[in-house]
Amino acid sequence: MANLKFLFSFIILFLLISTSLGGKQSMADVNVIRVGVVLDLNSTVGEMAASYISMAVSDFYAVNANYQTRLTLFTRDSKDDVVGAACAALDLMKNEKVHAIIGPQRSAQAKFVADLGEKAQVPILSFSTTSPFLSLNHNPFFIQTTQDDFGQVKAITSLVQAYGWREVFPIYEDTDYGNGLILYLKDAFQEVDIRFPYRSLIHPSSKDSDILKELKKLKAMKSKIFLVHMTASLGSKLFVLVKNSGMMSKGYAWIITQGLSSLLDPIDSKVMDSMQGVLGIRPYIPISPNVEDFERRLAKNFTSSRIENLFGFRAYDTIWALAMAVEKANIKQNSSFLKQNASESKVDLAAIGVSEMGPRLLNTIRSTEFKGLGGYFRLVKGQLEASAFEIFNVIGNTERIIGYWNPKKERLSQEADDNSTTEIGAYSISQPIWPGGITDQPKKLRIGVPSFFGFNEFLKVEWHPDQNDKPKISGISIDLFHAVLDMLPFPLPHEFVPYVNQHRQSAGTYDELLQQIKHKNFDAVVGDTTIMAYRSSYVDFTLPYSESGVSMVVSMKDNEKKNMWIFLKPLSWDLWLAIGAVSIFIGLLTWVLEHRVNTKFRGPPDQQIGTIFLFSFATLTSSNREKMVNNWSRFMLIIWAFMVLILTQSYTASLTSMLTVQQLKPEFVDVTVINRNGYFVGYHEDSFVRELLVKQLNINESKLKPYRTPEEYHEALSKGSHNGGVAAIFDEIPYIRLFLSKYGSRYAMVGQIYKTDGFGFAFPLKSPLVSYISRPILNVTQDKDKMTTIMRKYFASQTTCVDGSSAEISSYSPSLGVYSFGGLFIIVGVASICSLLIYLAKFLHFHWPASNIIPTEGSFWLRLIELVKHFDQKDICPCPFRRNESKLNPTISSSEGFGPSPSIESIDYEEKHSRTSSEGADNVAIDENEQIFSSRHGDTSIDVASLL
């Protein structure tokens, strides 16, 4: 038994000695890789990072004890100086022969150190520099093991969009770090129409008085939404001064970027107290067992309960990535720098060699992937792959997570791995507590609304004491505005504020209300505000949502049937005169054509004149019994009879309508009647219409009377201008429509429409909301169903006109005018003149030779007189044959045959007579009571009366 115990003890001792000797042998075979670390050891981040890096080395090799490489760290203090960081890096490369450098902390320092790393081909790994300008394209040996500022741009943009803010005031430090993010953020904001009205730059060396001066300027601008991008040291000082300035109170909103958000844990309680209600954005670190275990171990070395930090996690993962890469790249301990010189100076740039293993190590680091404390470690184009961001709200001494931003879906959500498809919006994240300890979102759009009594269908403000003394605002304008907001791609928090004084009465005119936008008392104005050119100098209007123009309303008058001269009304005076003139003209032409061949148109001059006038007007009543002989007369009278038929039928129809249908017509339709008769005119009180009446229509101001309501309009028009009322009301067409919907049967909109652009919503100049609001206005106003629903809500209980056009009269003219029959007059005139010209041409052709009997020395006027004498002579048909016995020749019976042949003299006479009267070839000679028949047609007769 004793021997067994001895043997067992010997075996254990042997194994312990063997293990000890083997371990010493393995440590001797390990390759020690020299790595430099450049930190600002006096800063909070630098001190913390040093602790994280130390723990990272211990933890890595505790897990990977079989690795053949070991990292040995050489730490240098940059002393928060750019030159100091460059000197530290140069010393590590030249004298310590490091294969890689971790750091420096700041972007300005990293820019110089990266250039040195490129010269020496030594990889530079920075876990805290976020400047987008330090990219792989500019510095191939520089690696950002954290996300750059560009990664948070879309997350910040989504957050601002979620709350519907269209203006943000950035406050950032005047360094490369500060300017880098703002340039990218500005471009991203412009894509979604978010503006930077003013940018506030604060230099890191600024005194408190300088910062207070800048804050005072921002407060005077009535700025409410701020974005802060700066380092922890400057940011801590800023927020203390912000609170002292009263800008961390109700109505304000503050957002801090990744750089400051990631450093809240080390900030003291005084600074945290000044940041209550602030929203922050920072990369999301998923909680894992490794993270929880690390935090427990880290807590043993820190007295603070809040010691975990994003940059600490990034530093920790950087050590692990570098240790893996060194092992994978098989870096040897004796790897050296090439091309060294003999300089002894520690900072001689020429003394820097080129790392033999640098390029291989750089490529291996870029391809290294693993799950670290700060999330999955993967490098893309020389920087850490973008991950999700978390949105937090500073409450007390903690940061409450209210939402996340997913880079793949590019939207906000309440869960880090949210798979829903809801659209972006403020309700995608939890309700934050805003500065001042309130839950109501700050910077709601403060919308001013007019408060006037009158046309309440467009906008009505009601005060109800039982509703916390808050006004109830309704009307067509409000409903239409809400319909427009429903179509916006983002929420637009707002509140309506009546423009009233302490007595809840209107505080001013529409122009004064719009001026409040310029003075930044309101962010917009919604109501029945008219788009005018002069107003556009201080506000921007959306597209109009109502009908445009200013017109006139007058009373309608009736009882035309009581007029004793109503029989003249169907035709206008100019048409009556035209008919009379044409009738006389037709009578005169008929006389010319019938004078030589028709005995009814011959006789003494007074009788012929009477015949002309009697014939002229007899044709209008179809009482004419005169028989026409000339064919051209008949043709002309047929055309005239057709026109008379149309005129009489039109007259009959118009007169019948006047006598049987109620006739309404406006008192007047021309605005010139107002000035000519000195009428009083009404207008909408506190409206621009007054200036239009005075300046454009030249109406005396003493003749103007202001009114507010449709009832006042009705009363004033009913009284009339001579009884204390007005003769007309001038107002915008939407108001007139509303007025006529109540009293449309008594009044009419008449006269010219004076151009305006209708009602619109007003916003500050260059506001991005104008374009967003204008597009849905078109959709809403063109949606018949939606507009009908809105209108019926306010007009259902009122009497509506059958048709809006029925109450509009641009020029009232119930009588028929000349223009209505202008075509007929032209046809009659052309036919008459053509008949006359043809007749005169034939007459001159046959009778002009007869004037040759005048001596050659005779004048033209003598010939003309001779022709007139011929015209006045009765035209006798040649070779007249009578049916009965003739006074000149006895009747020849058929049994007696033909008489003797005519003598030579008679033949000559007949030939001469035929030349002087051959125009009768188209006529038939007639005696007063005799039948006419042609010598060639025996006893054939023609009844002229039957042609008429």
Side-chain angles (χ1 to χ4, degrees):
M1 190 69 178
N3 292 333
L4 291 174
K5 291 182 179 178
F6 177 78
L7 180 61
F8 182 73
S9 300
F10 179 77
I11 292 173
I12 292 176
L13 180 61
F14 178 77
L15 291 174
L16 291 173
I17 295 173
S18 299
T19 303
S20 176
L21 291 175
K24 292 181 180 179
Q25 179 64 33
S26 61
M27 287 297 295
D29 295 337
V30 168
N31 290 316
V32 177
I33 307 302
R34 305 167 71 88
V35 175
V37 178
V38 179
L39 299 172
D40 297 330
L41 296 178
N42 292 326
S43 66
T44 303
V45 175
E47 182 182 355
M48 181 177 294
S51 300
Y52 276 70
I53 290 173
S54 177
M55 291 186 65
V57 173
S58 301
D59 292 347
F60 182 83
Y61 291 111
V63 176
N64 303 285
N66 61 331
Y67 273 31
Q68 297 299 310
T69 56
R70 293 290 187 274
L71 299 182
T72 299
L73 305 179
F74 296 86
T75 303
R76 296 291 185 272
D77 185 5
S78 65
K79 299 179 180 179
D80 195 19
D81 182 68
V82 174
V83 177
C87 292
L90 187 61
D91 174 49
L92 291 170
M93 294 177 190
K94 182 175 182 292
N95 300 309
E96 301 296 343
K97 307 297 188 293
V98 295
H99 292 85
I101 293 178
I102 297 176
Q105 290 177 214
R106 303 183 184 278
S107 299
Q109 299 171 349
K111 183 177 181 180
F112 289 94
V113 175
D115 291 339
L116 294 176
E118 182 181 4
K119 181 176 178 63
Q121 296 189 4
V122 173
I124 309 297
L125 292 79
S126 177
F127 58 87
S128 59
T129 56
T130 58
S131 173
F133 299 122
L134 297 171
S135 64
L136 181 64
N137 296 331
H138 298 92
N139 304 280
F141 278 82
F142 183 78
I143 297 175
Q144 289 176 291
T145 57
T146 186
Q147 298 182 46
D148 68 2
D149 288 331
F150 182 73
Q152 63 180 322
V153 167
K154 291 185 178 180
I156 295 173
T157 304
S158 297
L159 182 62
V160 173
Q161 278 187 290
Y163 290 105
W165 296 323
R166 313 312 302 172
E167 292 184 345
V168 177
F169 289 78
I171 304 176
Y172 57 99
E173 67 176 52
D174 191 10
T175 61
D176 290 341
Y177 164 75
N179 292 317
L181 173 69
I182 299 302
L183 292 177
Y184 288 101
L185 199 59
K186 180 183 178 182
D187 293 339
F189 276 14
Q190 285 180 343
E191 291 180 2
V192 292
D193 289 332
I194 300 175
R195 295 194 306 162
F196 283 161
Y198 175 78
R199 290 185 285 179
S200 177
L201 283 80
I202 298 179
H203 196 271
S205 61
S206 297
K207 298 179 181 179
D208 289 357
S209 59
D210 297 330
I211 299 177
L212 285 172
K213 183 179 179 180
E214 186 67 18
L215 291 176
K216 184 178 180 181
K217 182 189 298 185
L218 292 171
K219 191 174 183 180
M221 294 179 182
K222 299 186 178 180
S223 314
K224 297 294 183 180
I225 311 300
F226 299 96
L227 174 68
V228 179
H229 177 61
M230 54 184 57
T231 56
S233 57
L234 184 59
S236 301
K237 180 166 58 174
L238 171 71
F239 276 103
V240 172
L241 297 174
V242 166
K243 183 176 181 181
N244 294 337
S245 300
M247 298 175 67
M248 192 61 68
S249 57
K250 179 180 177 181
Y252 288 91
W254 295 83
I255 301 175
I256 57 177
T257 60
Q258 170 186 330
L260 186 54
S261 298
S262 303
L263 297 174
L264 284 184
D265 292 329
I267 293 179
D268 60 38
S269 59
K270 181 181 179 181
V271 177
M272 289 292 291
D273 183 62
S274 66
M275 298 178 66
Q276 297 302 300
V278 170
L279 295 184
I281 183 169
R282 63 190 175 195
Y284 166 62
I285 299 177
I287 301 300
S288 65
N290 291 336
V291 173
E292 294 176 348
D293 177 66
F294 177 81
E295 290 177 350
R296 284 194 299 269
R297 293 187 292 112
L298 189 63
K300 298 178 182 179
N301 301 325
F302 289 85
T303 58
S304 172
S305 61
R306 296 183 291 109
I307 35 72
E308 64 275 5
N309 181 270
L310 173 66
F311 289 135
F313 286 152
R314 297 296 189 218
Y316 186 95
D317 290 345
T318 300
I319 290 294
W320 278 59
L322 181 59
M324 290 179 182
V326 166
E327 179 72 17
K328 185 177 180 181
N330 195 23
I331 303 298
K332 300 299 182 180
Q333 180 177 351
N334 57 359
S335 299
S336 61
F337 281 71
L338 304 178
K339 300 180 182 180
Q340 301 183 38
N341 60 22
S343 174
E344 298 296 331
S345 174
K346 292 185 178 182
V347 295
D348 187 1
L349 294 178
I352 301 178
V354 177
S355 175
E356 182 181 6
M357 304 301 294
R360 185 198 301 179
L361 178 59
L362 177 66
N363 293 331
T364 307
I365 294 173
R366 290 177 181 173
S367 61
T368 300
E369 297 182 17
F370 65 97
K371 188 175 182 179
L373 289 182
Y376 197 79
F377 186 95
R378 180 191 290 121
L379 297 177
V380 178
K381 295 182 179 181
Q383 57 186 246
L384 190 66
E385 184 181 35
S387 63
F389 285 86
E390 62 183 14
I391 314 298
F392 66 88
N393 183 206
V394 178
I395 302 175
N397 294 324
T398 61
E399 302 102 48
R400 170 175 164 257
I401 307 301
I402 61 173
Y404 301 87
W405 185 82
N406 191 316
K408 294 182 179 179
K409 296 184 177 180
E410 295 187 354
R411 66 181 184 84
L412 298 174
S413 63
Q414 294 188 6
E415 301 294 336
D417 298 324
D418 181 57
N419 295 319
S420 63
T421 58
T422 56
E423 295 184 358
I424 186 173
Y427 299 106
S428 300
I429 58 179
S430 301
Q431 174 66 53
I433 305 297
W434 300 99
I438 62 173
T439 56
D440 290 340
Q441 178 182 328
K443 191 52 182 178
K444 290 183 178 179
L445 206 64
R446 186 177 169 84
I447 300 177
V449 294
S451 180
F452 296 105
F453 296 104
F455 294 87
N456 294 329
E457 287 79 4
F458 285 100
L459 196 143
K460 185 178 182 180
V461 179
E462 299 176 285
W463 300 88
H464 297 283
D466 56 340
Q467 297 181 359
N468 297 325
D469 209 28
K470 290 185 177 180
K472 178 183 177 181
I473 301 174
S474 60
I476 296 174
S477 299
I478 299 299
D479 287 2
L480 193 141
F481 183 72
H482 284 148
V484 168
L485 294 187
D486 291 339
M487 303 183 69
L488 291 179
F490 52 84
L492 191 63
H494 62 278
E495 59 177 342
F496 293 114
V497 181
Y499 184 51
V500 295
N501 54 27
Q502 58 182 354
H503 303 294
R504 295 180 178 175
Q505 302 297 321
S506 177
T509 64
Y510 283 91
D511 287 337
E512 293 171 342
L513 171 59
L514 294 174
Q515 287 283 353
Q516 301 307 308
I517 297 179
K518 180 180 180 181
H519 300 324
K520 296 188 177 181
N521 294 324
F522 291 132
D523 300 311
V525 168
V526 169
D528 47 349
T529 50
T530 305
I531 302 172
M532 299 294 292
Y534 70 91
R535 290 174 175 174
S536 63
S537 63
Y538 50 86
V539 295
D540 277 346
F541 286 100
T542 62
L543 291 177
Y545 64 84
S546 72
E547 199 172 357
S548 62
V550 173
S551 190
M552 176 175 62
V553 176
V554 298
S555 300
M556 302 291 285
K557 63 181 181 180
D558 194 7
N559 295 329
E560 280 289 354
K561 290 179 286 187
K562 298 179 180 180
N563 189 348
M564 61 183 297
W565 300 102
I566 192 173
F567 67 90
L568 296 175
K569 293 293 184 180
L571 305 182
S572 62
W573 283 110
D574 56 350
L575 183 56
W576 281 118
L577 294 176
I579 292 173
V582 173
S583 298
I584 295 174
F585 176 70
I586 293 297
L588 183 61
L589 290 186
T590 304
W591 177 84
V592 172
L593 297 175
E594 296 289 329
H595 177 68
R596 303 189 71 242
V597 296
N598 194 336
T599 57
K600 295 294 184 180
F601 291 86
R602 300 186 64 82
D606 55 345
Q607 181 179 349
Q608 294 185 49
I609 294 175
T611 301
I612 291 174
F613 281 95
L614 178 63
F615 180 83
S616 299
F617 295 101
T619 54
L620 294 175
T621 59
S622 301
S623 60
N624 177 51
R625 290 294 181 265
E626 305 295 343
K627 295 181 179 181
M628 299 295 101
V629 176
N630 193 316
N631 286 332
W632 291 111
S633 301
R634 295 174 178 177
F635 169 73
M636 181 180 63
L637 289 178
I638 289 174
I639 302 298
W640 172 240
F642 175 71
M643 180 176 179
V644 169
L645 176 64
I646 295 177
L647 286 172
T648 53
Q649 294 297 325
S650 299
Y651 173 86
T652 303
S654 181
L655 182 60
T656 302
S657 175
M658 289 183 176
L659 294 175
T660 58
V661 180
Q662 182 185 24
Q663 294 294 313
L664 294 175
K665 72 172 185 178
E667 295 285 350
F668 56 90
V669 297
D670 194 349
V671 71
T672 58
V673 176
I674 296 175
N675 287 328
R676 185 168 63 247
N677 297 332
Y679 289 152
F680 285 95
V681 174
Y683 67 95
H684 195 178
E685 188 174 3
D686 295 326
S687 172
F688 71 94
V689 176
R690 177 185 175 87
E691 294 186 5
L692 182 145
L693 296 174
V694 175
K695 296 181 179 179
Q696 189 170 342
L697 302 183
N698 299 318
I699 297 178
N700 195 314
E701 292 189 35
S702 62
K703 297 296 183 179
L704 301 180
K705 293 184 178 182
Y707 299 101
R708 286 184 177 274
T709 67
E711 291 72 21
E712 292 179 357
Y713 283 11
H714 169 58
E715 182 180 358
L717 288 171
S718 299
K719 292 180 179 179
S721 181
H722 300 296
N723 297 312
V726 295
I729 295 285
F730 280 85
D731 208 343
E732 296 175 79
I733 291 179
Y735 296 132
I736 294 178
R737 297 281 192 201
L738 179 59
F739 173 70
L740 293 178
S741 70
K742 297 181 179 181
Y743 308 101
S745 61
R746 306 180 187 181
Y747 309 100
M749 184 170 70
V750 299
Q752 179 182 350
I753 294 179
Y754 303 94
K755 181 65 177 175
T756 63
D757 290 327
F759 295 159
F761 305 133
F763 291 88
L765 290 174
K766 299 181 180 179
S767 172
L769 286 175
V770 173
S771 59
Y772 277 105
I773 298 293
S774 294
R775 297 187 194 105
I777 284 177
L778 291 177
N779 295 328
V780 172
T781 54
Q782 293 176 6
D783 188 332
K784 183 178 180 181
D785 295 336
K786 188 170 293 187
M787 289 301 296
T788 300
T789 302
I790 294 176
M791 293 301 177
R792 283 180 177 174
K793 181 178 178 181
Y794 298 96
F795 291 95
S797 61
Q798 299 177 3
T799 302
T800 307
C801 296
V802 177
D803 186 358
S805 61
S806 63
E808 299 175 20
I809 303 173
S810 58
S811 59
Y812 185 82
S813 181
S815 303
L816 298 173
V818 174
Y819 187 79
S820 302
F821 303 95
L824 288 175
F825 280 112
I826 292 174
I827 293 174
V828 171
V830 171
S832 302
I833 293 174
C834 289
S835 299
L836 176 64
L837 292 177
I838 293 173
Y839 175 80
L840 292 178
K842 288 187 175 183
F843 176 79
L844 293 176
H845 175 71
F846 289 106
H847 291 279
W848 186 261
S851 63
N852 290 332
I853 61 175
I854 304 298
T856 306
E857 61 275 8
S859 66
F860 171 78
W861 293 107
L862 293 177
R863 290 193 175 192
L864 185 60
I865 293 172
E866 184 65 22
L867 287 175
V868 172
K869 291 180 179 179
H870 277 287
F871 177 78
D872 189 52
Q873 295 175 1
K874 180 178 176 63
D875 188 11
I876 302 175
C877 178
C879 303
F881 289 89
R882 310 275 185 191
R883 177 179 300 177
N884 299 320
E885 184 179 0
S886 175
K887 295 180 181 180
L888 299 177
N889 300 302
T891 304
I892 303 175
S893 64
S894 59
S895 60
E896 293 179 351
F898 292 96
S901 300
S903 64
I904 298 301
E905 290 80 0
S906 64
I907 294 176
D908 292 339
Y909 169 77
E910 291 178 1
E911 289 179 355
K912 182 185 295 185
H913 184 72
S914 65
R915 287 196 300 268
T916 61
S917 60
S918 60
E919 76 278 6
D922 292 330
N923 305 326
V924 181
I926 182 171
D927 287 332
E928 185 176 354
N929 297 311
E930 293 181 336
Q931 298 287 343
I932 308 301
F933 52 95
S934 172
S935 62
R936 291 192 180 189
H937 295 86
D939 60 353
T940 303
S941 63
I942 299 175
D943 186 0
V944 178
S946 65
L947 296 177
L948 294 175

